[in-house]
Amino acid sequence: GTAYGQNERLEQAISCYRQALAMQPDDFEIRLDLGVVCGMDDHPEEAIHHFEQCWKMRPDDARSCIALSDAYVSVGRFDEAIAISRSYLARFPDHETVHSNLIIYMDHTPSLEDAEIQAERKAWGRRFCPVLTARKPLANSPDPQRKLKIGYVSSYFHNHSAANAFAAPMVHHDPEHYETFAYQTLVGSGDFVTDIFKSRTTHWREVERLSDDQLEALIRQDGIDILVDLMGHAGHNRLRIFARRPAPVSVSAWGYDHGTGLEAMDYLFSDPLAIPPESRCHFAEEIYDLPCGIHLMPFLTMPKAGPLPALKNGYLTLGVFARSNKISQPMIPMWAEILRQIPESRLFLKLSQRNMDYFRPMLTERFVNEGIDPARIRVEGWTPQRAHFKLYREIDFQLDTYPTGAAVTGLESLRMGVPLVSLYGANHASRYTASFMHNLGVEGWVATTREAYVERAVERAADLPALAALRASLRERFDASLLGDHLSYARAVEAAYRQMWHRWCAEQGTVS
């Protein structure tokens, strides 16, 4: 079972583990491993069953907590994942990974707002990453005009959506004024995108096996002036390094840009719509506004948008292109109401999962329970990226998820000529689309209440000529904006770095 699992022969792995479990039904390790491969093969209900048994058998084992809460999340049961994590942390408050996972689960919960979400991050920061002040002084020269060394810390230097968001300032940096360093925290995940990063980054460092002491020493030895976190609380992060302040300036950005809660993190890149002024008091970092918080640099050629499908089909096709766990409980009733108010319309749910034998009937049933004819619902799973891009040509516009809205997927959608109806809420994760649409000058698609969300969709559906004109213009508008102009976005980021550096130099008394 283990050998099959390591070689991604998941059906054979599951078969072996089931046989082993039949022989030893009380074996914790076998049941845990079976749950893991079931999850990998998109059999979430069986995975949940085994992990619930593991949790009962060993409630003090962190693996039980992490596995079960992640399995709940895979089917959108975030409240239960949060409850399990809090139960474990009440007994073992020093488990860093469980606490980070809790933070990520909270980002996806419709009932929570920035204040509570960021308070949990700050609690994590105080416990695990208090600022370590008794450190060796930094040797960086406080010259405001000199060439700067920028270090990027991530495990996402491969074909991953996060890499699309942070690639431009790394790949298109100005080598005359900036020297870049990539600190790869997960070795063995390389692909053609990794090769691009390696070829365009000045220095490449693989640091997965380095201890915190060793990584701190390496960053100091490299003389990094501005150290950039590209992961937040995602797996394989190295947030503890930032508490050591191995560089004069620290920034969190792009890869998982929801804030870290670290007192030692100086800045968080965002924009005025993604994090409005009234929310900024909740963040540990100072919010530094870019023209747009994230940017799209696709690594594969995207096809042309094509004409509006409704003109040929005679009916509207609405789309939801998202991970299934982004489809929170409030969304299905809202989408069902939109389908009722646009009687001939269809809904195309494009998921990132592969096992449609589970997800297709599960989601279709939820619409049937709302009184929607299942013939109007199409559910498809994972496809290669090029095929995924082509599927945008089959939808007229998207219905954004909430509270975790489309980020890189939203940017891809807009570049493919497909706008999104979005719900702008009190959670940072819900505001990306509003920022994107504002940058493109596309008005009338963002709502602030559930009722208005439905109204926006119905209003947009009523004007096919306007939809067709918008579709025809979006690619050109996108590429001319800072959402899609890679060089201009890189220069905007570098201007931000320079301003941050000037401020640090002024604090050293070298700039008047």
Side-chain angles (χ1 to χ4, degrees), residues 46-316:
E46 183 174 352
I48 287 170
H49 167 72
H50 293 304
F51 293 147
E52 286 178 338
Q53 297 303 309
C54 289
W55 177 251
K56 291 177 182 177
M57 294 164 68
R58 294 190 190 176
D60 294 346
D61 192 316
R63 293 175 298 167
S64 300
C65 173
I66 293 169
L68 179 55
S69 57
D70 280 349
Y72 282 148
V73 162
S74 72
V75 292
R77 294 163 63 177
F78 285 96
D79 288 342
E80 289 162 278
I82 289 172
I84 289 289
S85 300
R86 289 200 184 283
S87 170
Y88 187 87
L89 289 170
R91 291 173 289 129
F92 304 100
D94 292 326
H95 201 287
E96 182 177 344
T97 301
V98 172
H99 202 162
S100 276
N101 287 354
L102 169 64
I103 285 167
I104 293 173
Y105 305 154
M106 292 174 69
D107 288 336
H108 292 74
T109 305
S111 60
L112 300 181
E113 301 182 359
D114 277 346
E116 188 172 350
I117 291 168
Q118 294 303 320
E120 195 67 53
R121 280 171 160 79
K122 290 178 181 177
W124 186 97
R126 288 192 297 269
R127 179 172 291 275
F128 300 108
C129 290
V131 178
L132 303 178
T133 54
R135 314 300 292 172
K136 181 181 178 181
L138 295 169
N140 305 66
S141 170
D143 177 353
Q145 304 306 324
R146 68 172 175 82
K147 187 175 184 177
L148 295 181
K149 294 182 175 183
I150 314 296
Y152 294 97
V153 183
S154 183
S155 70
Y156 294 141
F157 297 124
H158 59 272
N159 193 18
H160 186 283
S161 60
N164 295 124
F166 62 65
M170 290 190 67
V171 171
H172 294 289
H173 71 277
D174 176 1
E176 183 178 347
H177 297 101
Y178 298 90
E179 188 175 354
T180 56
F181 295 71
Y183 297 95
Q184 166 67 292
T185 68
L186 180 62
V187 179
S189 59
D191 54 24
F192 76 100
V193 172
T194 310
D195 294 337
I196 293 172
F197 281 119
K198 284 184 175 180
S199 67
R200 302 300 295 272
T201 304
T202 318
H203 305 278
W204 186 265
R205 309 282 193 245
E206 295 186 348
V207 302
E208 180 181 11
R209 296 180 177 87
L210 298 187
S211 67
D212 288 349
D213 286 341
Q214 291 170 326
L215 180 52
E216 178 189 9
L218 177 60
I219 292 169
R220 284 172 171 267
Q221 178 183 314
D222 286 339
I224 299 301
D225 299 305
I226 299 177
L227 189 64
V228 186
D229 158 56
L230 300 176
M231 302 202 65
H233 285 269
H236 305 285
N237 72 71
R238 300 300 295 265
L239 287 179
R240 284 180 177 269
I241 288 298
F242 288 83
R244 297 168 174 243
R245 285 202 169 276
V249 179
S250 58
V251 183
S252 187
W254 305 306
Y256 194 70
D257 61 338
H258 291 240
T260 63
L262 271 65
E263 182 185 347
M265 192 69 72
D266 299 309
Y267 300 99
L268 173 65
F269 275 148
S270 190
D271 64 61
L273 274 174
I275 306 180
E278 62 271 20
S279 292
R280 299 188 171 197
C281 60
H282 305 305
F283 289 77
E285 304 89 347
E286 178 180 339
I287 309 303
Y288 190 101
D289 285 324
L290 295 171
C292 49
I294 65 173
H295 165 93
L296 178 68
M297 182 177 159
F299 297 107
L300 296 176
T301 301
M302 300 177 74
K304 293 182 180 179
L308 191 74
L311 299 179
K312 176 185 70 174
N313 296 334
Y315 58 84
L316 275 160

Side-chain angles (χ1 to χ4, degrees), residues 320-340:
V320 177
F321 284 23
R323 299 192 312 271
S324 65
N325 62 17
K326 283 190 174 185
I327 302 175
S328 63
Q329 192 61 39
M331 301 315 298
I332 300 290
M334 292 163 62
W335 295 338
E337 180 60 26
I338 291 168
L339 291 172
R340 281 191 285 270

